[in-house]
Amino acid sequence: MNRVEITKDDSPTLYSEAFGQTYHSIHGALSESLHVFIKHGLAEIAQSKKEISVFEMGFGTGLNAALTWQYALQNQLQITYITIEKFPISEEVSTQFITQDSDLNDRIVRLQAVSWNEKHILPQFNFQKIKGDLMNLNLSAQFDLIYYDAFSPSSQPELWTEEIFSKMYILLYPSGLLTTYCAKGQVKRNLKNVGFIVESPPGPMRKREMTVARKLISNN
Ligand SMILES: C[S@@+](CC[C@H](N)C(=O)[O-])C[C@H]1O[C@@H](n2cnc3c(N)ncnc32)[C@H](O)[C@@H]1O
């Protein structure tokens, strides 16, 4: 069972009893998503491209997806967004997940409501949520950006291995990047071992670091 918790920036997250973890940082769910995935991922790619493809590991509440859609509309981007989720949240819980930003809230509700596995053409946002297991992912598409938003390695170690990161590496275009809130040393080593160039910018709120993994170093 999942239940809603309000985090320190007044935005909601979910607590998963099955995984013993929250879906976002308790220090600020919205702040974390904006910092890790929008600022250190999407905003960087948007400096050089207006058509951007994003793969998200773990659709969860839809917060990252809705923030990305909002950013696309505010910054004249065209985004293709594919996300995977093995354990969709129940309708009962999703109706309790309410953000103070009503535009964001409407987008979350819309993305939660669309059917699984089909492609949906929304304004400046081509969206598909796959109901499935990342471990069995079989996608032929390539992406500019991966939001790697699995539960932590202590809870799901199988999702932070070299094996899975080598699949993520293949999914990216040559100049693509993967962002994650996780800054564990072993995770960074696993990313490096499959070929990523790993950086550790400051994390959101009180967190010292997060991780950005680049497929190739840019020359400029
Ligand atoms: C940290 S939460 C993601 C939060 C989400 N990005 C959001 O914005 O709300 C991790 C998500 O990964 C999902 N998950 C766990 N194991 C998975 C797997 N093997 N394949 C796909 N999704 C998985 C969980 O159900 C959960 O929704």
Side-chain angles (χ1 to χ4, degrees):
M1 215 19 220
N2 296 318
R3 62 168 186 270
V4 174
E5 287 197 2
I6 302 302
T7 65
K8 289 197 179 136
D9 67 0
D10 291 330
S11 64
T13 189
L14 297 183
Y15 175 77
S16 162
E17 270 176 19
F19 290 100
Q21 294 207 351
T22 49
Y23 278 52
H24 312 90
S25 167
I26 51 160
H27 298 296
L30 181 62
S31 309
E32 178 185 55
S33 287
L34 284 169
H35 182 88
V36 174
F37 301 109
I38 305 300
K39 179 179 174 195
H40 283 285
L42 188 58
E44 184 186 319
I45 300 279
Q47 285 174 10
S48 55
K49 291 185 87 166
K50 294 290 169 208
E51 289 188 19
I52 298 173
S53 49
V54 181
F55 174 74
E56 179 190 30
M57 159 52 204
F59 174 70
T61 62
L63 177 63
N64 290 343
L67 284 171
T68 303
W69 188 11
Q70 227 182 18
Y71 191 91
L73 293 165
Q74 289 161 354
N75 294 277
Q76 292 76 49
L77 305 177
Q78 176 63 46
I79 293 190
T80 298
Y81 196 101
I82 300 182
T83 179
I84 188 163
E85 175 57 60
K86 187 174 179 187
F87 309 106
I89 61 177
S90 69
E91 213 179 309
E92 188 193 340
V93 170
S94 68
T95 53
Q96 294 166 21
F97 186 86
I98 300 166
T99 64
Q100 288 173 355
D101 172 344
S102 63
D103 176 75
L104 182 63
N105 211 54
D106 290 348
R107 293 185 198 287
I108 290 173
V109 169
R110 204 149 157 209
L111 297 180
Q112 283 173 344
V114 301
S115 50
W116 290 93
N117 303 319
E118 285 165 32
K119 293 180 179 167
H120 301 274
I121 298 176
L122 303 165
Q124 290 170 236
F125 200 66
N126 295 340
F127 180 64
Q128 184 182 19
K129 51 181 193 182
I130 299 170
K131 187 163 180 273
D133 189 335
L134 184 75
M135 305 289 282
N136 307 325
L137 181 72
N138 187 9
L139 272 182
S140 54
Q142 276 202 307
F143 299 88
D144 297 298
L145 180 58
I146 294 176
Y147 296 165
Y148 204 81
D149 201 12
F151 286 124
S152 76
S154 57
S155 166
Q156 289 194 289
E158 72 280 10
L159 295 179
W160 301 89
T161 60
E162 286 183 24
E163 189 189 351
I164 208 90
F165 288 148
S166 62
K167 284 191 188 171
M168 297 300 107
Y169 191 86
I170 292 165
L171 271 189
L172 283 171
Y173 286 125
S175 57
L177 56 92
L178 176 152
T179 58
T180 180
Y181 67 89
C182 181
K184 287 225 156 59
Q186 188 59 53
V187 167
K188 289 195 261 187
R189 282 191 289 280
N190 290 349
L191 286 162
K192 275 183 199 151
N193 288 345
V194 303
F196 281 108
I197 309 296
V198 175
E199 294 166 8
S200 305
M205 296 87 61
R206 294 186 197 168
K207 236 181 138 207
R208 203 162 59 88
E209 288 180 353
M210 54 164 282
T211 302
V212 173
R214 294 176 192 281
K215 188 156 176 174
L216 276 185
I217 306 175
S218 132
N219 290 326
N220 46 41

